[in-house]
Amino acid sequence: MPDYDRLLAAHPFFNEFQADYLHQIACLATTVCYERNAYIFHEGDAAEQFYLITRGHVMLETFGVERRGSISIETIEAGEVLGWSWLFAPYRWHFSARTLEEVEVIVLDGVSLRYMCEADPMFGYALLKHMAVIIMQRLQRTRLQLIDMYRADGG
Amino acid sequence: MHSSPSINDQLIMQCEQFEQLLQRLQQREYHVLGPTVRNQAIVYDTLTSIADLPKGYTDEQDGGSYRLKQRHDDAFFGYAVGPHSWKQFLHPPITRIWRAKRDGSSFHIAKEDKGIPKYAFIGVRSCELHAIAIQDRVFLQGACTDPGYQERRQDLFIVAINCGQAGGTCFCASMQTGPRATFGYDLALTEIVDTRQHFFVVHIGTELGAEMMDGLVCQQASPDDLQRDEQIVACTAQTMGRQMATSPVELKGLLARNLEHPRWEEVAGRCLSCTNCTMVCPTCFCTTVEDVIDLAGEETERVRKWDSCFNLDFSYLYGGSVRASAKSRYRQWMTHKLSTWYDQFGSSGCVGCGRCITWCPVAIDITEEVRAIYDSEQKE
Amino acid sequence: MLVERNDPMLPRWYRIQHRREELANTFTVTLEPQDHEDIPVFDCGQFNMLYVFGVGEIPISISGDPAHPAPLIHTIRAVGNVSNGLQGLKSGALIGVRGPFGTPWPLALAEGKDLLLIAGGLGLAPLRSVMYHVIAHRKAYGRVTLLYGARTPEDMLYRQECEHWRAHLDLDVAVTVDRATESWRGSVGVVTRLIAHALFDPAKTLAFVCGPEVMMRFCAQELEKCRVPGEQIFISMERNMKCAIGFCGHCQYGPFFICKDGPVLPYYQVKDLLRKREI
């Protein structure tokens, strides 16, 4: 079994967490590998896991009838975290996540993490603070995508 | 015994000899240019004799206001500067760069080879000498030189005039650019006129200047004459109509620190973007190039024209103008003139001539704008 | 009539040898001088003024290999009068060329260091010269990474060449698009996203960034977050240029004339200006 204490301590999301917290989180961790083109989760399903991508690229996507097939939203890759819907009601995935190649993730039990947050506000604050940074970065990136800066007239 | 004049000599020249000097310049094939009255303003144009000078005239200048008045004496140079500056001759408003003709699948370029006259400028003010030196740095002292400017500039003969009267919008004293001519002239004159006498103290600046004075009947200036010369120019310096709030070097940092000052918005509310200030400014050098093609599409010419940073198209970049607001255009003009000019050319781009104040239709005053920003920093 | 070569405003006539459609409104021309004399050498990042008879002149960066200045290669997007005029010209047509002008990418400074090239949209055109140079002198540099962001997969410039570069084992190439099409198998997201995932030693990295100003501004901020010092980040600025020799005043950007002090400028010198509007 991998040394999750060490793996989590090395991950940018958790590297500022205290050792005893890390140890508690490590108890919730497992490693999962996905084939290329596999769905890690589907839009609308119950959101119960928090994923740390350790290898490969994942596409966040949705779908519609106007554009057949999938609508790609953003790529998430090794070193980043995937999914925050397990933290917020109604605990349903907002988008789907599909692998673009073979992908390895550390899966953390999101429901247990949520209970830890409720039980220990210090821990809850630390986790939410780090999650807020991720949400902020994704929002900023999305805004840059939205301004369409390479438009032919200079945007 | 007559001795030939030489550099740094100070002579006394009567009006008769002044006329002879002009004739001599014409004989030497100079196109003599100087102040003359036209359309109720003193402009720069061809002089055939001293009779063309604005003798007995003066001007009253203030923000957005210029009036010619009669003087109580016969002074030739008893006024400040008008709407013209010498840049119209050295850096003309319109020049054809080249023209080209289609020839089958090829083109032939013909460069402009119109002969450029040898100019003599009469009555160049100290601020204008500084302005010429500033444009020299733009067009001659960078990595590239402007061949046309160089040609017009190289044979230039300059007769400067030390100002005997400050205009209502003059502020050269605070820009450290006048009122006495200290460089860049062949001859510099101080006009002395009163009820009994009318003559010039001539300061010789170059060998060529000395040569032009040679043979004219002039005496050496006496200590009394020189003292009067000093007093006249000192009095001019004391009576400037305007003053910058701080030294030119301080202005560089002041404006660089205040690019987001609320004052820009305020002045933009008055500014009409009419470009007058840039057209009358003796140092503004910006140009655009236009293509003029004949209807058949066989012949085209590229024409360089004065342009202004107040024009919306000036900063056009595919999607639109970079400086779309009047605020940003006014800020560009003033910060360039007083601040970034130092970064680019090692000096201020303002010589304190006051033309931008006088000829602004809504009387925007560069010294007042500076003072507003300066004062707000003093309060902090 | 005799034409003086020393007048910087006089163009030389070049014939369009070949033209290639790159994207919907973007094309590449190769040019040979009509007088068959040498083409002046250029440094990566410099530009020429291209003149269309009777229409006007525009600055276009050089996209060819600096080791082989002939033929002259320019990639142009048709967005205005002159570039639309250029688009209308066929092989064999003559255009006027003045240049090269402007400051180059500081390749000598990058020797022995990691090199991070970040291109957005058409910003890849001036960086293609750098890629040619770096591939030819690969040993002179540490890790070399190209990060390229395009609007959509259809808007990717030099797509085949990017694939070719990606196949080089000693080059890291990452491409992303703001908006994917269904068949797109690659990365989606803004180009700044790629920076944190690139491998480089920030203290020993030179970053060359070229693209729309807003893209360069956010890339530079992201690079600073990744601890690349501002002195080691270079951007290529664009402004209205009429004369290219510092006389016309149009391309001023604060204290800089983009035509002669730029287009390539160290980020730390323009960092404060970039944060202000309408400079």
Side-chain angles (χ1 to χ4, degrees):
Chain A
M1 178 163 150
D3 179 356
Y4 285 112
D5 286 73
R6 194 181 53 78
L7 284 175
L8 291 176
H11 196 279
F13 188 86
F14 285 114
N15 62 10
E16 286 175 12
F17 279 62
Q18 296 167 26
D20 54 332
Y21 285 147
L22 282 180
H23 185 68
Q24 287 182 60
I25 301 164
C27 297
L28 308 172
T30 50
T31 298
V32 178
C33 289
Y34 294 89
E35 297 284 297
R36 175 173 176 269
N37 223 9
Y39 279 90
I40 300 177
F41 51 76
H42 281 100
E43 185 177 326
D45 284 358
E48 291 168 346
Q49 288 88 23
F50 182 32
Y51 300 91
L52 312 179
I53 303 173
T54 49
R55 184 161 52 87
H57 286 74
V58 176
M59 185 71 81
L60 272 185
E61 58 182 40
T62 185
F63 63 94
V65 281
E66 294 81 5
R67 285 168 66 182
R68 303 285 157 80
S70 306
I71 300 167
S72 301
I73 294 161
E74 195 180 31
T75 314
I76 313 285
E77 66 186 275
E80 295 186 279
V81 301
L82 173 65
W84 55 62
S85 297
W86 52 271
L87 196 48
F88 309 101
Y91 315 115
R92 297 274 165 191
W93 294 117
H94 203 68
F95 296 122
S96 301
R98 181 173 55 85
T99 61
L100 293 174
E101 58 202 324
E102 274 188 30
V103 165
E104 186 186 83
V105 294
I106 296 173
V107 186
L108 303 174
D109 175 6
V111 180
S112 302
L113 278 176
R114 211 162 70 216
Y115 287 143
M116 279 173 70
C117 291
E118 298 292 343
D120 180 352
M122 284 288 283
F123 173 78
Y125 174 68
L127 189 123
L128 261 294
K129 193 168 77 173
H130 283 80
M131 195 60 92
V133 170
I134 300 290
I135 296 171
M136 175 191 74
Q137 287 170 352
R138 301 270 169 94
L139 180 62
Q140 287 174 345
R141 271 151 45 172
T142 305
R143 285 170 170 174
L144 285 181
Q145 270 173 287
L146 282 174
I147 63 172
D148 200 6
M149 54 195 175
Y150 311 124
R151 229 168 52 196
D153 61 1
Chain B
M1 185 65 199
H2 171 76
S3 71
S4 294
S6 57
I7 295 184
N8 296 329
D9 274 2
Q10 289 148 330
L11 308 176
I12 296 300
M13 177 173 75
Q14 303 299 325
C15 297
E16 191 187 336
Q17 279 71 39
F18 186 30
E19 176 67 45
Q20 287 168 9
L21 174 64
L22 255 56
Q23 300 312 322
R24 184 174 281 192
L25 285 166
Q26 281 162 12
Q27 283 154 18
R28 296 275 196 110
E29 291 180 339
Y30 280 101
H31 182 171
V32 179
L33 294 158
T36 192
V37 175
R38 197 207 301 154
N39 299 333
Q40 294 161 53
I42 293 167
V43 298
Y44 295 147
D45 206 342
T46 304
L47 297 182
T48 53
S49 91
I50 60 170
D52 295 332
L53 290 166
K55 189 174 171 180
Y57 277 100
T58 189
D59 52 19
E60 277 181 11
Q61 301 195 36
D62 203 346
S65 155
Y66 179 95
R67 294 282 180 279
L68 279 193
K69 289 268 161 73
Q70 285 292 332
R71 289 176 65 89
H72 300 299
D73 60 29
D74 283 340
F76 289 107
F77 297 100
Y79 43 81
V81 291
H84 282 184
S85 72
W86 304 101
K87 84 170 174 184
Q88 66 182 316
F89 305 108
L90 296 175
H91 177 47
I94 300 177
T95 27
R96 188 159 65 187
I97 306 172
W98 51 265
R99 60 205 154 84
K101 208 171 178 167
R102 199 187 288 274
D103 175 16
S105 69
S106 183
F107 300 110
H108 283 292
I109 287 187
K111 199 185 171 302
E112 277 302 276
D113 55 0
K114 196 171 69 182
I116 288 172
K118 224 165 62 162
Y119 288 127
F121 293 170
I122 310 298
V124 181
R125 309 282 170 170
S126 176
C127 59
E128 300 182 308
L129 290 174
H130 281 266
I132 291 169
I134 285 169
Q135 289 213 327
D136 284 352
R137 285 197 282 278
V138 174
F139 292 120
L140 301 179
Q141 289 162 26
C144 279
T145 54
D146 179 337
Y149 184 90
Q150 188 166 33
E151 221 173 318
R152 288 181 285 269
R153 179 71 177 88
Q154 64 195 4
D155 295 324
L156 180 60
F157 188 87
I158 294 181
V159 179
I161 183 86
N162 293 315
C163 295
Q165 184 175 328
T169 57
C170 284
F171 56 100
C172 68
S174 60
M175 290 308 290
Q176 300 157 14
T177 51
R180 177 176 290 282
T182 54
F183 71 96
Y185 58 81
D186 296 288
L187 300 171
L189 317 181
T190 306
E191 185 174 26
I192 295 177
V193 56
D194 59 31
T195 47
R196 291 175 297 111
Q197 47 189 355
H198 188 181
F199 63 93
F200 296 92
V201 178
V202 183
H203 304 260
I204 299 180
T206 62
E207 294 287 354
L208 188 60
E211 196 187 318
M212 289 298 174
M213 292 303 292
D214 194 14
L216 298 182
V217 181
C218 295
Q219 295 164 338
Q220 291 289 332
S222 70
D224 276 357
D225 295 328
L226 293 176
Q227 200 188 353
R228 263 190 97 180
D229 178 330
E230 284 297 326
Q231 282 168 349
I232 285 169
V233 181
C235 174
T236 305
Q238 294 300 313
T239 51
M240 295 269 145
R242 296 289 195 279
Q243 191 185 353
M244 271 295 183
T246 185
S247 72
V249 177
E250 292 296 319
L251 291 176
K252 176 186 191 301
L254 176 74
L255 296 190
R257 287 192 298 276
N258 285 287
L259 293 177
E260 308 282 17
H261 199 282
R263 185 73 187 190
W264 301 119
E265 199 74 70
E266 219 176 299
V267 68
R270 298 166 59 206
C271 176
L272 306 175
S273 287
C274 73
T275 79
N276 269 13
C277 51
T278 53
M279 298 294 112
V280 296
C281 176
T283 68
C284 272
F285 59 85
C286 290
T287 52
T288 187
V289 178
E290 287 175 9
D291 277 80
V292 184
I293 191 161
D294 70 338
L295 283 175
E298 293 299 310
E299 245 186 286
T300 189
E301 49 183 53
R302 301 217 82 209
V303 179
R304 187 173 84 174
K305 294 179 175 174
W306 283 359
D307 200 356
S308 169
C309 52
F310 283 93
N311 285 330
L312 199 53
D313 272 357
F314 187 82
S315 60
Y316 185 85
L317 199 61
Y318 37 76
S321 293
V322 173
R323 290 187 282 273
S325 67
K327 165 193 151 182
S328 68
R329 296 197 293 276
Y330 188 84
R331 180 179 67 183
Q332 167 61 25
W333 177 70
M334 195 162 126
T335 55
H336 182 218
K337 191 74 33 190
L338 299 176
S339 179
T340 55
W341 208 293
Y342 271 100
D343 300 292
Q344 297 169 348
F345 304 109
S347 76
S348 174
C350 176
V351 295
C353 70
R355 287 182 180 91
C356 59
I357 306 171
T358 299
W359 299 98
C360 175
V362 294
I364 292 171
D365 180 339
I366 190 170
T367 64
E368 192 184 324
E369 295 312 306
V370 161
R371 193 173 305 278
I373 294 176
Y374 178 80
D375 286 350
S376 73
E377 274 201 352
Q378 303 310 303
K379 278 181 210 142
E380 277 168 13
Chain C
M1 200 172 290
L2 232 144
V3 166
E4 288 168 51
R5 272 284 171 78
N6 62 1
D7 185 340
M9 289 303 280
L10 282 178
R12 250 173 102 187
W13 295 105
Y14 280 61
R15 206 169 282 285
I16 299 177
Q17 237 183 8
H18 177 73
R19 48 171 297 156
R20 172 196 158 91
E21 305 308 312
E22 301 280 358
L23 310 170
N25 56 356
T26 305
F27 56 98
T28 296
V29 289
T30 56
L31 303 162
E32 282 285 2
Q34 191 192 21
D35 56 22
H36 301 295
E37 286 178 37
D38 286 347
I39 295 180
V41 292
F42 72 93
D43 291 317
C44 301
Q46 288 194 295
F47 67 92
N48 280 317
M49 296 299 289
L50 305 188
Y51 171 76
V52 179
F53 185 82
V55 182
E57 214 178 29
I58 46 166
I60 302 284
S61 60
I62 307 171
S63 301
D65 184 346
H68 303 102
L72 186 58
I73 301 176
H74 286 288
T75 295
I76 301 151
R77 176 150 69 176
V79 285
N81 283 343
V82 182
S83 52
N84 277 311
L86 282 164
Q87 194 176 32
L89 295 177
K90 297 189 172 63
S91 296
L94 280 185
I95 64 168
V97 177
R98 292 191 295 129
F101 298 114
T103 54
W105 298 105
L107 276 160
L109 217 62
E111 284 180 15
K113 297 195 177 75
D114 290 348
L115 186 55
L116 184 55
L117 309 177
I118 309 175
L122 227 61
L124 186 58
L127 284 174
R128 185 167 77 166
S129 307
V130 176
M131 286 301 282
Y132 291 148
H133 177 88
V134 166
I135 290 168
H137 303 86
R138 184 62 192 84
K139 287 197 172 67
Y141 307 95
R143 257 180 196 281
V144 175
T145 308
L146 170 67
L147 308 178
Y148 179 38
R151 189 185 195 211
T152 72
E154 277 85 45
D155 295 307
M156 276 183 60
L157 194 61
Y158 310 141
R159 199 163 169 177
Q160 282 172 335
E161 261 180 307
C162 284
E163 289 303 320
H164 173 72
W165 294 332
R166 197 203 282 270
H168 279 254
L169 291 176
D170 54 3
L171 297 174
D172 291 332
V173 177
V175 174
T176 189
V177 296
D178 278 359
R179 248 166 272 249
T181 45
E182 208 193 310
S183 60
W184 176 247
R185 311 300 305 166
S187 178
V188 177
V190 71
V191 68
T192 53
R193 195 187 74 75
L194 301 176
I195 294 170
H197 298 289
L199 295 168
F200 55 87
D201 175 356
K204 290 188 201 155
T205 293
L206 246 65
F208 298 170
V209 189
C210 190
E213 198 168 302
V214 53
M215 168 263 177
M216 295 194 291
R217 190 166 77 236
F218 285 105
C219 282
Q221 285 172 18
E222 189 67 26
L223 286 164
E224 285 195 308
K225 265 190 230 164
C226 293
R227 301 192 312 280
V228 179
E231 294 78 8
Q232 292 165 221
I233 303 170
F234 293 83
I235 65 173
S236 181
M237 292 292 294
E238 196 171 8
R239 280 294 181 273
N240 186 356
M241 297 186 218
K242 292 276 184 192
C243 75
I245 47 180
F247 291 164
C248 80
H250 281 247
C251 68
Q252 284 181 79
Y253 183 61
F256 303 106
F257 288 96
I258 295 303
C259 70
K260 58 174 188 158
D261 303 319
V264 176
L265 288 165
Y267 172 64
Y268 75 94
Q269 287 189 0
V270 290
K271 189 176 166 179
D272 292 337
L273 289 176
L274 280 171
R275 283 198 283 254
K276 297 193 167 63
R277 290 173 190 222
E278 297 189 285
I279 291 294

